[in-house]
Amino acid sequence: SQQGEEDPQALSIQEGENATMNCSYKTSINNLQWYRQNSGRGLVHLILIRSNEREKHSGRLRVTLDTSKKSSSLLITASRAADTASYFCATDGGNNRLAFGKGNQVVVIP
Amino acid sequence: GAGVSQSPRYKVAKRGQDVALRCDPISGHVSLFWYQQALGQGPEFLTYFQNEAQLDKSGLPSDRFFAERPEGSVSTLKIQRTQQEDSAVYLCASSFFATNEKLFFGSGTQLSVL
């Protein structure tokens, strides 16, 4: 079964706008990771946030983690057409397996 | 190689046929994972290797699924007597460390069982 659940499931925005997606999980975690998947391709690691961190930045990406609410958000600023992809959160509960959510489909319109 | 390589890219099998899916991880990567991804869903964990040792196979859906990594590099996922419900994309991922932090994924093998 999948632990992470992203919300919203599908997002369509204009180029230059910000895209925000959320992820909730059920059990305690060591870290939470976000991955991007382009159609027909494998997943690409974007960013990892540990359970003792609250916010992390990487380029145009900003991720937050609220362990009390068991939720995380991923913000992509100044979106580009190349950001069109599916975005997955994945949680590490300490057993060496990542539990992935169902994914957010993001379409950036040029 | 530059990344994780999987072959074949596409596989069509008749129900009941055996299939073998290959994964070449990034050289030197200790950890290797297999995931199954159904259409429109996130990847589901199948099994995990640390070098040649299969440390976790609890995600394999049935005893028809078997994975090996005999020399701690290339891995093969074998599915015996394929069923229609086995149709999915099978993803392989590797990591330099003996953890699941920052996985590098291959492009996957899309298996269609007719």
Side-chain angles (χ1 to χ4, degrees):
Chain A
S1 62
Q2 301 194 55
Q3 170 160 258
E5 293 183 3
E6 291 91 349
D7 173 62
Q9 300 263 309
L11 184 63
S12 183
I13 57 174
Q14 293 288 332
E15 200 166 31
E17 293 181 340
N18 296 343
T20 300
M21 53 208 101
N22 300 305
C23 166
S24 61
Y25 57 92
K26 295 185 174 69
T27 62
S28 61
I29 62 171
N30 291 336
N31 67 64
L32 185 145
Q33 302 175 47
W34 285 91
Y35 286 80
R36 183 188 74 225
Q37 185 176 36
N38 291 89
S39 180
R41 308 293 294 177
L43 285 79
V44 174
H45 181 268
L46 295 176
I47 195 165
L48 178 152
I49 187 165
R50 301 191 186 281
S51 59
N52 61 352
E53 297 175 310
R54 291 297 166 257
E55 186 171 314
K56 206 162 181 181
H57 296 253
S58 176
R60 293 184 296 112
L61 304 179
R62 173 179 166 250
V63 65
T64 63
L65 180 64
D66 187 335
T67 52
S68 66
K69 295 181 179 177
K70 291 188 168 60
S71 68
S72 172
S73 69
L74 174 68
L75 167 69
I76 305 173
T77 60
S79 62
R80 305 167 181 168
D83 295 329
T84 294
S86 292
Y87 292 82
F88 294 89
C89 72
T91 53
D92 168 21
N95 54 6
N96 262 319
R97 56 163 70 185
L98 285 182
F100 284 86
K102 294 178 183 173
N104 265 288
Q105 206 166 2
V106 175
V107 174
V108 181
I109 303 166
Chain B
V4 178
S5 178
Q6 290 189 246
S7 60
R9 185 76 178 87
Y10 302 94
K11 177 68 179 178
V12 178
K14 291 183 180 177
R15 193 173 58 176
Q17 192 177 352
D18 296 350
V19 298
L21 313 180
R22 178 187 169 103
C23 172
D24 276 275
I26 294 173
S27 178
H29 277 199
V30 168
S31 298
L32 186 144
F33 302 81
W34 283 98
Y35 281 84
Q36 180 190 60
Q37 186 175 24
L39 189 64
Q41 301 293 315
E44 292 253 16
F45 171 85
L46 293 177
T47 187
Y48 161 61
F49 290 86
Q50 192 177 113
N51 296 309
E52 69 278 4
Q54 188 175 22
L55 298 187
D56 187 348
K57 56 180 181 179
S58 60
L60 297 176
S62 77
D63 59 8
R64 295 185 296 103
F65 286 71
F66 171 77
E68 60 182 3
R69 194 186 185 199
E71 296 177 1
S73 56
V74 171
S75 176
T76 304
L77 176 66
K78 297 178 180 176
I79 310 173
Q80 296 177 321
R81 303 181 304 281
T82 52
Q83 304 293 316
Q84 282 189 321
E85 61 262 28
D86 300 335
S87 295
V89 175
Y90 290 86
L91 295 166
C92 175
S94 69
S95 170
F96 181 77
F97 302 103
T99 69
N100 58 21
E101 295 187 7
K102 193 173 182 179
L103 299 189
F104 291 82
F105 279 83
S107 294
T109 294
Q110 186 169 333
L111 173 65
S112 299
V113 182
L114 306 178

